Amino acid sequence: MAMDHIGEPQYREVSVTPKADGTADLHISCPDATGLGTDFARLMFNFNLQIIHGDFSTDGKWCFLMFKVRSLDVTHAKWHLLKRRLETVCPNFESQLARLNQVEVPRPDKPIFLVIV
């Protein structure tokens, strides 16, 4: 587990691997949240990137996203800044944990009686 700049555990992994042909592979692993894929896609479009291929997997608590993107800006793509922005979009693990702990368990309407023999 990596540590962030404050010394607290970092529960997200973001890697940006630029290629010589102007494309890059993005791998993101972080706690899941509603609309997270849309947030990542919007951020990539704001960086003038074209998404060539994308894939994701989630279990409702944790997600893993992979993208292959191409920079539409032929002069220079700011991959280091993109990585930092992707990390800020990732949800906070503690807030996700608190949300999961607040799930209400449905209770039966009638009390259950057990007979011990």
Side-chain angles (χ1 to χ4, degrees):
M1 177 176 11
M3 301 294 258
D4 66 4
H5 65 282
I6 304 174
E8 296 178 1
Q10 182 180 4
Y11 294 98
R12 61 186 175 267
E13 292 291 327
V14 176
S15 78
V16 177
T17 310
K19 308 284 181 174
D21 61 355
T23 64
D25 293 330
L26 310 177
H27 297 128
I28 306 158
S29 177
C30 63
D32 196 9
T34 304
L36 190 59
T38 305
D39 293 340
F40 285 131
R42 183 180 314 117
L43 179 62
M44 287 180 245
F45 293 141
N46 287 341
F47 271 79
N48 205 20
L49 299 175
Q50 176 186 19
I51 299 173
I52 299 169
H53 178 75
D55 195 11
F56 69 94
S57 176
T58 182
D59 63 358
K61 298 174 188 170
W62 203 262
C63 69
F64 181 71
L65 300 98
M66 297 184 306
F67 295 98
K68 182 170 186 135
V69 296
R70 177 183 299 130
S71 175
L72 298 177
D73 183 8
V74 293
T75 57
H76 181 59
K78 298 178 179 164
W79 301 116
H80 64 284
L81 183 57
L82 174 65
K83 180 179 186 227
R84 250 189 277 151
R85 292 292 305 275
L86 289 170
E87 289 173 343
T88 60
V89 171
C90 289
N92 185 347
F93 179 75
E94 286 78 16
S95 67
Q96 293 297 98
L97 187 62
R99 181 183 63 85
L100 292 173
N101 286 335
Q102 293 176 353
V103 174
E104 292 185 24
V105 177
R107 300 185 186 258
D109 292 337
K110 299 179 182 177
I112 299 174
F113 295 101
L114 302 175
V115 178
I116 300 174
V117 182

